[in-house]
Amino acid sequence: VGDEKIGYFTPDIGNSIAYSSNPGSLTINTIDPDTGVFEGVFQFIATDPANEDQTTYTITNGAFLVVVQ
């Protein structure tokens, strides 16, 4: 159990840099214990955690739907 949320973004296939969220938000809108469905939205600013690249990417309007069985 924890409260750490991390998003990863890789802008180019084969790029060795995986940008991570710094900062961001994740909101769970639906939890249905009968069906196991979790649904929500997210957004974050992605930066290079090693600071090798100063480029930032703004990820907006992200959405997810997960079914836990």
Side-chain angles (χ1 to χ4, degrees):
V1 176
D3 61 1
E4 184 174 3
K5 299 170 281 293
I6 299 173
Y8 288 105
F9 175 69
T10 304
D12 301 311
I13 301 298
N15 185 347
S16 62
I17 299 175
Y19 298 80
S20 61
S21 56
N22 184 25
S25 67
L26 178 128
T27 303
I28 298 174
N29 296 321
T30 303
I31 299 174
D32 187 332
D34 295 327
T35 62
V37 171
F38 289 71
E39 207 170 349
V41 295
F42 62 89
Q43 62 81 31
F44 62 91
I45 297 173
T47 59
D48 175 8
N51 291 318
E52 294 175 8
D53 184 352
Q54 298 304 307
T55 305
T56 62
Y57 296 92
T58 302
I59 310 302
T60 60
N61 300 317
F64 64 93
L65 185 146
V66 178
V67 178
V68 179
Q69 297 180 348

